[in-house]
Amino acid sequence: MQNPTNGMPYDSDKSNLEILSNEFAMVRFGKVKVGNGERLLIQVPSSGDFVLLDPIVLEAIAELGHDELSQLLVKVSEE
């Protein structure tokens, strides 16, 4: 569910998003409500790209070891 005017979920309120950054990257994140529950919204302000992650996906990510997660990120960056 995206707002056609800004590409964000309809009920997102940017004032509720936190910022996490370092010298290499910056993201905004926060909890948003969607039609069938809540999701974690992660947005890259420089590009406007975003992802909505549900609790099942977050649990799976949390259960990955550091090495497994790193391998996934390497595969994605090679594409």
Side-chain angles (χ1 to χ4, degrees):
M1 177 169 58
Q2 295 180 1
N3 182 329
T5 60
N6 64 11
M8 296 295 289
Y10 282 108
D11 63 347
S12 69
D13 178 359
K14 290 183 181 182
S15 66
N16 292 332
L17 298 180
E18 299 288 332
I19 295 175
L20 186 63
S21 66
N22 63 20
E23 62 272 21
F24 304 109
M26 180 173 75
V27 295
R28 298 174 76 175
F29 67 95
K31 184 170 62 170
V32 295
K33 293 183 181 190
V34 294
N36 57 348
E38 295 177 323
R39 303 288 185 264
L40 175 64
L41 167 68
I42 303 173
Q43 179 195 29
V44 180
S46 61
S47 67
D49 291 339
F50 69 93
V51 63
L52 293 170
L53 302 173
D54 68 24
I56 294 171
V57 172
L58 292 169
E59 184 177 298
I61 291 170
E63 290 177 351
L64 289 175
H66 184 279
D67 291 339
E68 294 171 306
L69 188 56
S70 294
Q71 289 173 9
L72 285 173
L73 295 174
V74 167
K75 288 179 184 178
V76 169
S77 67
E78 291 175 348
E79 293 179 357

